[in-house]
Amino acid sequence: MRRPFVHLYTLMAGALAVVLAAALGVTLTGRPAWAATVVVQAESYAAQSGVGVEATADTGGGQNVAYLADGDWMRFDNVDLGAAGSLTASARIASATGGPGTVELRTGSPTGPLLTTFPISPTGGWQDWATRSATVTAHPTGPQTLFALVRSTTPGDFVNINWFSFDDGTPGGTAPGWVGIDQAAWNAQLAQFRAMTPATVPAGTVRVPEFNATCTYSHSKPDDPIVAPGLPGASHMHSFFGNRSTDAFTTAQSLSANPGTSCTPAKDLSAYWIPTLYQGGKAIESDGMVVYYGSRLPDPAATVPFPQGFRMIAGNAKSQVPTPAGSANQFFCAGEGGEIGRSADGNWPVCAPTAKLVYQLLFPDCWDGKHLDSPDHKSHVAFTYTGTCSGDHPVAIPSVSFVIGFPTSGSAAGFSLSSGMASSIHGDFFNAWDNAALGQRVKDCIVQRAKCNSAGTF
């Protein structure tokens, strides 16, 4: 059951190097300029304590280290952490119990400097795999001796590990800020999705490709974990919905590890946020936001769910232009009486006393299929204008839109956003849906073109 042998793959633009390395069992160090990700297979430790190995149940999963408990550890030699700068660390884990516990990555020794920590939460079973990710902003560079240390406050086995990966954000040797997808995890998620049996659509169901999450306001912080990760207070004020743990240090891993959410269904642990709205200098928080997942494609059958850790931004926080009546992408009034006038500056609607202020924000619906994020948080996605997803963005993803209501009718004084004028409205989406819950909704509601509710039923 012990395999005291290092088998470290470096994923390169030149696939031949990977094949040769795998075949020869070599350790690849000295990451070339065109290398983006280093993957460390968990069973390929150089030394260990308390670790067993078993075959994974999913296709292509290889082997995993199994039933780890407090104090177990593994050592990996010559793990290339690249150059200075931010680094995304990921771990593919499975847990029937969730511990509670963590897996620590340290350099040099089991008590050496902490690289990052992966909190462990239940994934559904010992072979139900999930990928957890965390940003490492300060780390030693070049080849390192890496220790994975298992910690728990309770006795007993609580986690299996398939592999670790380290992504320096430069796929293909391009500019930093690109976050490459974990291809093995994505393949496994797609396989799970494609194997799902769609539910039967009852007669009389509205044939619109749509499901939703209904959310209430959670909290406010001057943080933005997409634009300014790890920098608390570096952003204008944001109003957060969904995962209640969201702050400047949020990662895909932390979202999945924190089950508290202001959204229904509870299996949507995603984070959603918008700039805070002010009226007369006082914050006006939303009295409800519906996040719609749908499709604007003539044929939505090719739509696939979002990968874990996917994020994107819609709108432009830097836009500071007037928005007179008739402008595109306006705030509007919903309810009896609708809009009865405009603010003195012309940029905001004034609603009837029986109506309230609303905004709908639409996100791109085509994806490059390669990156969880991009330097501007938009280049990895695109809007479809031709009715299909093609070219650099060939993958159809759900069309996300925020419909945000505010408990106010407004006045001649108008409003302001923490980002400035009405034209600066924008929104952020950081996916942390449970894979099975999201996949089944995409399969049932979008692929079958059937209107579903927050529970994912017709």
Side-chain angles (χ1 to χ4, degrees):
M1 298 296 288
R2 300 291 185 261
R3 289 168 54 103
F5 176 74
V6 179
H7 195 100
L8 176 63
Y9 298 87
T10 301
L11 302 185
M12 307 175 182
L16 179 60
V18 175
V19 175
L20 290 176
L24 297 175
V26 300
T27 298
L28 298 176
T29 60
R31 180 187 312 195
W34 32 274
T37 304
V38 169
V39 177
V40 181
Q41 300 294 336
E43 74 274 14
S44 299
Y45 46 75
Q48 57 81 28
S49 175
V51 176
V53 175
E54 65 178 9
T56 59
D58 55 334
T59 302
Q63 294 182 305
N64 62 266
V65 295
Y67 308 111
L68 305 181
D70 180 55
D72 293 346
W73 58 264
M74 295 168 285
R75 192 191 86 211
F76 305 93
D77 295 337
N78 298 317
V79 179
D80 190 351
L81 298 183
S86 64
L87 185 73
T88 298
S90 299
R92 189 172 193 242
I93 61 98
S95 176
T97 66
T102 61
V103 176
E104 299 176 353
L105 294 184
R106 295 180 177 271
T107 54
S109 75
T111 58
L114 180 66
L115 195 65
T116 194
T117 300
F118 301 102
I120 304 302
S121 56
T123 63
W126 294 113
Q127 287 295 320
D128 292 324
W129 295 96
T131 300
R132 306 291 189 243
S133 298
T135 298
V136 182
T137 55
H139 61 88
T141 60
Q144 301 292 323
T145 298
L146 183 72
F147 282 81
L149 181 65
V150 180
R151 291 294 195 190
S152 179
T153 57
T154 58
D157 303 329
F158 72 94
V159 65
N160 291 352
I161 304 173
N162 193 188
W163 45 251
F164 299 100
S165 70
F166 302 91
D167 192 303
D168 63 7
T170 58
T174 59
W178 291 93
V179 179
I181 192 170
D182 181 324
Q183 196 62 55
W186 176 232
N187 289 344
Q189 184 181 344
L190 278 179
Q192 178 191 35
F193 169 69
R194 288 169 177 155
M196 290 176 174
T197 301
T200 300
V201 181
T205 300
V206 177
R207 302 312 291 246
V208 173
E210 176 189 294
F211 64 92
N212 69 72
T214 57
C215 307
T216 57
Y217 164 75
S218 174
H219 61 283
S220 297
K221 283 181 177 290
D223 292 358
D224 191 323
I226 292 179
V227 174
L231 298 173
S235 175
H236 49 253
M237 190 64 70
H238 281 114
S239 297
F240 290 90
F241 301 78
N243 201 299
R244 297 187 185 278
S245 71
T246 312
D247 60 17
F249 300 100
T250 286
T251 62
Q253 168 201 3
S254 70
L255 291 175
S256 296
N258 287 277
T261 178
S262 70
C263 292
T264 299
K267 289 193 174 182
D268 178 14
L269 297 180
S270 304
Y272 311 98
W273 61 98
I274 58 173
T276 300
L277 180 77
Y278 292 90
Q279 183 174 17
K282 178 182 178 181
I284 304 294
E285 300 297 354
S286 171
D287 59 354
M289 180 173 81
V290 181
V291 182
Y292 288 98
Y293 291 79
S295 176
R296 297 181 296 117
L297 302 177
D299 181 6
T303 307
V304 297
F306 296 103
Q308 282 292 323
F310 179 91
R311 49 257 201 201
M312 61 179 170
I313 293 177
N316 183 0
K318 296 181 180 179
S319 177
Q320 306 293 332
V321 298
T323 49
S327 299
N329 303 320
Q330 285 205 336
F331 283 80
F332 62 95
C333 300
E336 185 179 354
E339 182 177 321
I340 59 174
R342 302 291 293 180
S343 59
D345 62 10
N347 295 325
W348 301 89
V350 177
C351 305
T354 50
K356 68 178 186 180
L357 188 71
V358 175
Y359 191 83
Q360 182 171 11
L361 182 68
L362 184 65
F363 286 75
D365 51 354
C366 296
W367 173 46
D368 69 4
K370 301 175 182 178
H371 302 106
L372 299 176
D373 200 3
S374 51
D376 60 0
H377 318 294
K378 296 181 179 181
S379 293
H380 60 308
V381 289
F383 288 99
T384 177
Y385 295 106
T386 62
T388 60
C389 293
S390 59
D392 292 337
H393 301 89
V395 181
I397 51 176
S399 175
V400 174
S401 65
F402 296 174
V403 178
I404 315 144
F406 298 91
T408 178
S409 298
S411 68
F415 302 90
S416 64
L417 294 169
S418 58
S419 52
M421 298 175 68
S423 61
S424 70
I425 182 67
H426 58 283
D428 299 59
F429 166 51
F430 201 138
N431 176 53
W433 274 85
D434 172 81
N435 282 347
L438 177 61
Q440 196 66 59
R441 284 165 169 80
V442 172
K443 178 79 72 169
D444 292 347
C445 314
I446 295 181
V447 170
Q448 296 192 111
R449 193 186 292 275
K451 185 177 177 65
C452 295
N453 54 28
S454 296
T457 56
F458 306 109

